Amino acid sequence: MRVLIVEDEPRLAENIARTLRETAGYAVDVAADGQEGLFLAESNAYDAILLDLMLPKLDGMQVLKRIRESGQHTPVLVLTARDDKESVVALLNAGADDYLTKPFDLGELLARAKALIRRGKGQPSPVLNIGDLQLNTVDRTVQRAGRPITLTAMEYRVLEYLAHRPRAVVSKTELLEHLYDYNWEKFSNVIEVYISGLRRKLDAGSQQPLIRTLRGQGYVLQG
Amino acid sequence: MRDSIQRRLITTMVLFQSLLTIGLVLVGVSDTFWRLLSTLDTSMQAHAMSVAALVRYTEDATGNVYFDNTLLPSSIDPNHPDLFAVWADRSGLIAHSENWPKELEIPSGPDHHWNFDWNNVPYHALRATHVPILDREEGKAFRPQTLTIFYAAPTIRLRMQVRRAGAFIALAGLLLLGITVLLALRGIRRDLRPLQNLAQQAERVSAQNWELRLPEEVSQVEELRPVAQSMKQMLERLQRSFEQQRQFLGNAAHELKTPVAVLKSTLQSLVQRERTSEEYRAGIEGGLEDLERLEQLLQWMLRLARAEQWAHGALRRDLDVIDINATCEEAIERMRSLAQSRKTSIRLSTNGPVPFRADPEDLQLVWANLLENAVRYSPEGSTVEVAVMRNHGGPAQVTFQDHGPGIPPQDLPHIFARFYRGDRSRTRATGGFGLGLAIAKALVEAYGGTIAAESQVGRGTRMTVELPVSSRN
């Protein structure tokens, strides 16, 4: 998963980014002002955007409106110091999916971000079941037919993304875009390595392969 | 004991009316007494004459007299017989009433009236001398005699009548007093009701509801109108400063949220997992930095609160006279390194020393805040011009002119408001909490001055401070 943080307090942005990377294994981009945030949001595919409201150059409300005007469905979690009814209503009406008031708890932020990403992909439950594969996004564990499977961090991230979009064809580029931050091109040929690692671990002792490769198109996770 | 207008009014009224009643009783009693006494005198005189008329000469020529007591007049007071005695100048005591005490001392001398008590009965008495005998037969050859008459009537009835009259007046007075007090009490209560209504309305006033509804009757009472008016004005003033405080508190709480959020996230991300000691050290250092910013914001807020308190009249009066130029130089010195880092210069021009009574720290803070803004917004290589002008007969002027991007017209009216920032990008700098200009304004106003901003987008901004330089300075 890849998340954009638009926040002008550098240390706050850094702390959020660190939490998302370390505890959720997400790829994170940080923008320090509204203009940069809008540019990144429009030029990359994010699974969620965390948006501060008080921003230099272009304030958060404007960023939010412009993102929605451009037709993007990316879930937006707004970070605000104001929690009065009017501003919350204005936020939600402008297209925000959720909000958190400062000072917030990083654990809560993470939980809300995960929930937003799940719902954005049509998956209401934090435990994803594809055939006999079970993926728990809360404690990041994987089982197949009741057998626990140990994955590397990168393998888990690839599988998690695929599991959020079961039966859909996911291209290598899409995977790269959603698993790495802005300099993802460097990693273009490592995806195959992770996919083969995943196949080996998931299909061990099983007749049916979980991940299929559609040549020239991408990968499909199917039970 | 608590004082009460009602009690005081009633006490005064009772006291006054009691005195009046006592006076009336005294006057009434003495008037009645003298009137009755004079009536009594008249009757006694008539009775005395009737008694005198009963004295007759004997038929012979001796000129002796006798008393014909067949026609004695009845007593003036039927219950208490009168006393009388008649003497003829030659024959001596001729007659007296049965109850006449012989030992009674009758004063000699000319005719007069007096009072005495006999057997515990009060009497009023008269003595008439040289009373001629009416039965004077013509042609009798003897020298006529004259009579001395003593006549006394008991004054028991008179005294009773006087007492009754006094009691009647006193009773009437008391009754009147009672009625007056009752009416006055009702009247005062009715007149004070608007006051109570006003108090009730005042009780409804609270921080949530500032409106003081003035009852119709209050505005109709001349004495209450000014009270109600000043209450209304007081409430308006209170509400304004309350609103200001509330707004300040709201702003402050809002401003504190971000630094607190930063600090909290720093510490939380530090304890999310086991870290190396380098990571812990870096995290703690970051947390300390966050704290420092928080502390700075608090300091600015306190400084503003203090300046605003001064602006409400608590400014110290024991201040020395200083030169405004010196404080400007000091402030420019403070901003020197910032200006150098931004490659801008600061130029000070003046038309002479401007003495002013102030704490130099306050003025330096004002100038430093204005200068910092000017320097931060100045393009590289430009100059910020500071001018100190002393005008004869007018206020001293200190202006700060920069050649920066200017302030957009929609922001210009708000720049002195607390926590106002046209653009968040300058938040990170000192004073970038949106408090610098608010503090400058509060301080300038504490010294009775004014501060104003003019700006042209693309050309620059000019801040003008005017301070009242009085001749006493």
Side-chain angles (χ1 to χ4, degrees), chain A:
Chain A
M1 298 298 160
R2 186 174 175 191
V3 174
L4 171 65
I5 300 172
V6 191
E7 165 64 63
D8 68 327
E9 287 287 340
R11 198 186 311 284
L12 190 57
E14 182 193 314
N15 290 331
I16 297 171
R18 179 149 77 163
T19 298
L20 293 181
R21 286 190 188 115
E22 285 178 352
T23 47
Y26 292 168
V28 181
D29 293 333
V30 175
D33 64 60
Q35 270 172 18
E36 191 190 348
L38 185 63
F39 170 75
L40 286 177
E42 282 174 341
S43 51
N44 293 297
Y46 290 105
D47 299 297
I49 297 173
L50 309 186
L51 180 64
D52 184 24
L53 272 195
M54 296 262 278
L55 290 170
K57 293 186 184 164
L58 191 64
D59 81 63
M61 202 66 165
Q62 293 304 315
V63 175
L64 180 59
K65 283 180 180 159
R66 301 263 279 272
I67 288 173
R68 289 293 178 245
E69 275 164 19
S70 69
Q72 282 200 54
H73 298 292
T74 316
V76 175
L77 172 59
V78 171
L79 310 175
T80 171
R82 303 187 56 181
D83 56 355
D84 54 297
K85 265 192 218 114
E86 291 81 12
S87 40
V88 168
V89 168
L91 273 178
L92 296 176
N93 284 344
D97 296 271
D98 200 358
Y99 73 96
L100 256 183
T101 49
K102 293 180 182 179
F104 45 76
D105 189 276
L106 283 178
E108 188 183 352
L109 176 92
L110 186 64
R112 283 182 190 271
K114 276 186 177 173
L116 279 184
I117 292 170
R118 275 201 315 267
R119 287 205 301 270
K121 301 188 186 307
Q123 303 286 344
S125 167
V127 180
L128 308 173
N129 291 294
I130 300 101
D132 55 359
L133 177 75
Q134 191 186 62
L135 188 139
N136 186 328
T137 58
V138 178
D139 53 18
R140 304 212 285 163
T141 55
V142 181
Q143 293 183 2
R144 185 160 190 209
R147 175 174 61 92
I149 297 167
T150 314
L151 299 178
T152 66
M154 243 358 260
E155 283 166 357
Y156 174 82
R157 288 170 63 182
V158 173
L159 182 63
E160 185 188 54
Y161 189 82
L162 290 174
H164 275 96
R165 307 198 55 202
R167 291 173 297 280
V169 180
V170 179
S171 70
K172 204 166 84 174
T173 314
E174 185 180 341
L175 270 177
L176 283 167
E177 270 189 343
H178 285 272
L179 298 181
Y180 292 98
D181 44 28
Y182 60 95
N183 44 6
W184 53 269
E185 276 98 347
K186 299 192 267 199
F187 303 98
S188 53
N189 53 353
V190 297
I191 289 295
E192 281 125 15
V193 180
Y194 296 132
I195 293 286
S196 73
L198 272 175
R199 277 195 177 122
R200 188 162 41 77
K201 289 181 181 174
L202 293 175
D203 297 341
S206 178
Q207 300 302 314
Q208 201 182 359
L210 273 173
I211 303 171
R212 287 194 295 134
T213 309
L214 298 180
R215 196 150 299 281
Q217 293 183 60
Y219 306 99
V220 178
L221 180 68
Q222 213 163 12

Side-chain angles (χ1 to χ4, degrees), chain B residues 126-382:
Chain B
L126 70 81
R127 193 189 58 153
T129 52
H130 307 293
V131 179
I133 295 173
L134 290 174
D135 176 38
R136 183 161 177 193
E137 290 187 31
E138 293 299 323
K140 286 200 172 156
F142 54 80
R143 199 157 50 88
Q145 297 198 54
T146 57
L147 302 172
T148 296
I149 299 171
F150 161 80
Y151 201 100
T155 52
I156 292 176
R157 204 160 67 154
L158 180 143
R159 278 164 198 261
M160 211 169 63
Q161 280 172 330
V162 168
R163 267 202 300 277
R164 213 178 282 155
F168 176 76
I169 297 171
L171 208 68
L174 280 178
L175 199 68
L176 210 63
L177 176 70
I179 292 170
T180 318
V181 166
L182 274 179
L183 285 180
L185 268 176
R186 280 184 59 180
I188 291 169
R189 289 236 175 87
R190 199 188 53 225
D191 289 347
L192 288 182
R193 203 176 307 130
L195 202 62
Q196 282 162 355
N197 286 351
L198 189 62
Q200 275 170 5
Q201 290 300 329
E203 261 171 40
R204 297 215 180 107
V205 175
S206 71
Q208 278 72 44
N209 172 33
W210 287 99
E211 196 204 2
L212 176 66
R213 275 195 328 106
L214 286 186
E216 182 65 20
E217 42 189 355
V218 169
S219 51
Q220 280 166 0
V221 181
E222 193 186 333
E223 286 85 350
L224 281 184
R225 221 178 298 136
V227 177
Q229 280 311 317
S230 15
M231 277 173 83
K232 258 192 130 86
Q233 283 161 8
M234 176 189 74
L235 279 176
E236 277 163 22
R237 284 196 303 275
L238 276 178
Q239 187 182 4
R240 264 202 302 279
S241 68
F242 193 84
E243 279 307 319
Q244 248 177 14
Q245 292 303 318
R246 184 147 61 186
Q247 206 187 355
F248 181 74
L249 203 63
N251 287 343
H254 183 255
E255 289 301 313
L256 285 171
K257 278 180 182 171
T258 299
V260 168
V262 176
L263 181 59
K264 188 174 175 182
S265 71
T266 300
L267 296 180
Q268 274 188 338
S269 74
L270 203 59
V271 295
Q272 253 160 15
R273 55 166 66 179
E274 279 300 315
R275 309 250 175 220
T276 64
S277 63
E278 286 78 28
E279 279 176 318
Y280 278 128
R281 168 169 284 280
I284 290 170
E285 279 170 356
L288 283 176
E289 264 176 53
D290 301 336
L291 259 183
E292 204 163 303
R293 235 173 86 67
L294 196 59
E295 206 181 335
Q296 241 172 37
L297 174 59
L298 282 175
Q299 258 173 12
W300 278 88
M301 288 192 322
L302 287 177
R303 205 176 273 181
L304 174 64
R306 216 171 47 218
E308 285 189 341
Q309 197 189 352
W310 285 345
H312 288 97
L315 183 65
R316 296 200 328 266
R317 297 290 164 206
D318 54 336
L319 297 169
D320 292 328
V321 174
I322 46 137
D323 182 9
I324 290 180
N325 285 295
T327 58
C328 277
E329 282 159 19
E330 197 67 39
I332 289 170
E333 204 47 54
R334 266 204 241 172
M335 286 298 125
R336 188 71 69 196
S337 62
L338 178 72
Q340 273 166 2
S341 75
R342 300 191 56 93
K343 298 194 174 61
T344 50
S345 51
I346 305 170
R347 196 172 63 213
L348 174 68
S349 61
T350 175
N351 65 352
V354 187
F356 188 66
R357 195 177 289 277
D359 183 340
E361 275 295 320
D362 293 343
L363 291 191
Q364 279 171 32
L365 187 60
V366 173
W367 311 146
N369 283 352
L370 296 178
L371 261 177
E372 190 177 336
N373 271 324
V375 169
R376 269 184 207 290
Y377 279 87
S378 285
E380 280 195 8
S382 71

